[in-house]
């Protein structure tokens, strides 16, 4: 930490020197110089946390002490001001998804959707692997012993429960904040349902994926069969994975398009996830959230429908001040991250 602080102080010192030289040579009046200094101090305060090396923050992200109240299956943290880390946290149960998990994920992502401080989300798993999927022992009483007076009533009740489970992962897709999921070790069954609802998927070299449901006597019903064909793009491969329950390893996941990057280990992956989330969070939230919403709309509609939707969307969104700020950054040949965007 001493080296990090020293590096930051050196960086701030150099920025101060450049600012002093600039103000002396620019011919600005006293008031303008004072205003420029104020903007500089604000930027230093705002971006200090983003300067910290991603490897250092990644280690902090991966070492949470336990679930974060009121949650019992999730650990929530803020590695930087605008990035939220959601960690599946039942490591002693291989992050298996119990009854509490299904409702806690909905609560968590509904809150993140409305949180103006959050601009990007990173999802990962604690312990030795990402998730073993559904906690069968916990879910047995909830699903395998349905209540009802006859077949029709039992069926209505089961459908209601299934739709509730589906919402656990659909809420990730509906969240306007982009979600980066970081997968290490096994990602089994409902884990595949979950990651296909995320926007960007990363994994470690030792990761493997398995559509496990046929092995336990059912068809996957919370998203895999609907989203995986659109993620991979090969119906034949999807059919093979879903009908045989064979494992797909990291290299095949990368070549098929299930993940976009493969990392040597979890620490490198978490650093990569944080870097991607930081790039997203540094852009205009109006542009970022509008992009996610329109990408999902376009996936399920024709090109003509998608073009009409984005035209309707942008007839109001183009009137944002973020457009001028981003254009100014481009003209100055700077990153959009150098601009301060209002919360959304």
């Amino acid at each position: 930490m001493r080296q990090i602080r020293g590096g930051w102080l050196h960086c701030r010192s150099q920025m101060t020197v450049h600012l002093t030289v600039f103000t002396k040579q620019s011919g600005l009046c006293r008031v303008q110089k004072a205003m420029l200094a104020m903007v500089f101090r604000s930027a230093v305060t705002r971006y200090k946390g983003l300067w910290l090396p991603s490897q250092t923050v990644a280690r902090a992200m991966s070492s949470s002490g336990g679930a974060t109240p009121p949650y019992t299956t999730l650990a929530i943290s803020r590695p930087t001001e605008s990035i939220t880390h959601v960690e599946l946290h039942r490591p002693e149960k291989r992050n298996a998804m119990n009854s509490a998990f299904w409702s806690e994920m909905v609560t968590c992502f509904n809150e993140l959707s409305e949180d103006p401080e959050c601009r990007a989300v990173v999802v990962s798993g604690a312990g030795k692997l990402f998730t073993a999927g559904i906690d069968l022992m916990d879910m047995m009483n909830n699903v395998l012993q349905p209540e009802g007076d006859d077949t029709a009533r039992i069926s209505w009740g089961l459908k209601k429960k299934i739709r509730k489970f589906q919402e656990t992962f659909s809420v990730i897709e509906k969240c306007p904040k982009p979600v980066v999921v970081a997968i290490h070790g096994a990602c089994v069954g409902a884990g595949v349902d979950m990651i296909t609802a995320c926007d960007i998927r990363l994994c470690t070299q030792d990761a493997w994926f398995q559509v496990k449901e046929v092995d336990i006597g059912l068809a996957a019903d919370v998203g895999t069969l609907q989203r995986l064909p659109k993620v991979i793009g090969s119906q034949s491969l999807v059919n093979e994975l879903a009908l045989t329950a064979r494992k797909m390893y990291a290299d095949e996941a990368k070549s098929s398009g299930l993940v976009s990057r493969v990392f040597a280990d979890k620490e490198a992956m978490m650093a990569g996830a944080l870097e991607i989330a930081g790039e997203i969070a540094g852009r205009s939230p109006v542009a970022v959230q509008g992009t996610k919403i329109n990408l999902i709309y376009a996936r399920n509609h024709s090109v003509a429908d998608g073009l009409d939707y984005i035209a309707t969307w942008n007839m109001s969104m183009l009137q944002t001040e973020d457009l001028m700020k981003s254009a100014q950054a481009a003209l100055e040949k700077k990153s959009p991250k150098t601009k301060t965007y209002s919360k959304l």
Side-chain angles (χ1 to χ4, degrees):
M1 289 303 294
R2 182 177 300 171
Q3 291 178 338
I4 294 170
R5 178 172 174 79
W8 163 247
L9 292 174
H10 174 74
C11 178
R12 185 178 65 182
S13 175
Q14 292 299 308
M15 292 168 68
T16 303
V17 169
H18 290 309
L19 176 68
T20 303
V21 172
F22 173 78
T23 53
K24 285 182 178 179
Q25 297 177 350
S26 63
L28 298 176
C29 70
R30 182 177 300 176
V31 174
Q32 290 172 320
K33 290 179 180 179
M35 291 178 65
L36 184 59
M38 185 181 301
V39 171
F40 169 75
R41 286 194 296 270
S42 175
V44 167
T45 302
R46 180 176 181 83
Y47 291 104
K48 177 179 178 180
L50 296 180
W51 183 87
L52 294 177
S54 56
Q55 289 280 1
T56 302
V57 183
R59 282 192 288 271
M61 290 172 68
S62 305
S63 58
S64 57
T68 308
Y71 303 115
T72 61
T73 66
L74 304 174
I76 313 299
S77 60
R78 275 279 168 86
T80 72
E81 179 183 355
S82 53
I83 300 172
T84 301
H85 179 209
V86 178
E87 185 179 48
L88 312 187
H89 209 285
R90 298 186 74 216
E92 73 287 352
K93 297 291 186 180
R94 301 185 299 168
N95 295 325
M97 302 172 183
N98 62 1
S99 299
F101 168 85
W102 297 92
S103 60
E104 289 181 2
M105 282 287 284
V106 174
T107 300
C108 175
F109 274 89
N110 279 336
E111 290 180 355
L112 292 177
S113 294
E114 301 298 326
D115 183 358
E117 301 289 345
C118 175
R119 295 190 180 183
V121 182
V122 174
V123 175
S124 70
K128 296 181 179 180
L129 51 83
F130 181 70
T131 179
I134 292 176
D135 188 330
L136 287 174
M137 296 301 294
D138 181 83
M139 299 295 288
M140 199 168 293
N141 293 332
N142 198 11
V143 177
L144 299 184
Q145 297 181 14
E147 298 179 354
D149 295 333
D150 56 26
T151 301
R153 288 165 177 80
I154 292 173
S155 298
W156 275 101
L158 272 175
K159 182 178 181 180
K160 185 177 180 180
K161 288 182 178 181
I162 293 169
R163 293 304 298 267
K164 181 179 179 181
F165 295 147
Q166 289 174 344
E167 183 63 14
T168 296
F169 302 142
S170 292
V171 75
I172 299 174
E173 192 172 76
K174 293 175 184 176
C175 176
K177 320 299 171 66
V179 180
V180 181
V181 63
I183 306 135
H184 74 290
C187 178
V188 178
V192 178
D193 293 277
M194 180 170 69
I195 67 169
T196 54
C198 298
D199 302 297
I200 299 172
R201 289 168 294 277
L202 314 175
C203 77
T204 55
Q205 190 62 57
D206 68 349
W208 54 273
F209 307 82
Q210 187 176 23
V211 184
K212 184 69 173 174
E213 282 78 358
V214 293
D215 276 357
I216 57 175
L218 63 115
D221 57 6
V222 289
T224 289
L225 302 184
Q226 293 69 39
R227 296 189 178 100
L228 189 58
K230 297 183 178 181
V231 168
I232 290 180
S234 169
Q235 190 65 52
S236 177
L237 179 56
V238 171
N239 293 348
E240 179 188 346
L241 294 171
L243 294 171
T244 67
R246 77 164 175 85
K247 296 178 181 179
M248 172 189 274
Y249 293 93
D251 290 343
E252 186 181 6
K254 172 70 162 57
S255 64
S256 69
L258 179 59
V259 300
S260 54
R261 297 191 198 179
V262 178
F263 294 84
D265 52 41
K266 185 178 180 182
E267 183 175 335
M269 177 183 64
M270 296 307 297
L274 182 63
E275 181 180 3
I276 292 172
E279 290 294 323
I280 293 169
R283 267 68 182 177
S284 157
V286 173
V288 166
Q289 296 181 38
T291 297
K292 172 173 177 173
I293 290 168
N294 277 274
L295 281 170
I296 292 174
Y297 184 90
R299 184 192 65 188
N300 300 319
H301 295 80
S302 69
V303 173
D305 288 343
L307 289 171
D308 184 63
Y309 191 79
I310 188 62
T312 304
W313 183 273
N314 266 357
M315 71 183 188
S316 56
M317 294 299 113
L318 285 178
Q319 300 180 59
T320 176
E321 64 176 12
D322 292 13
L323 185 62
M324 296 303 298
K325 292 180 178 180
S326 299
Q328 183 182 5
L331 291 172
E332 295 171 350
K333 297 183 179 180
K334 297 179 179 178
S335 168
K337 292 191 294 182
T338 61
K339 301 298 179 182
T340 300
Y341 300 100
S342 300
K343 298 175 183 178
L344 182 63

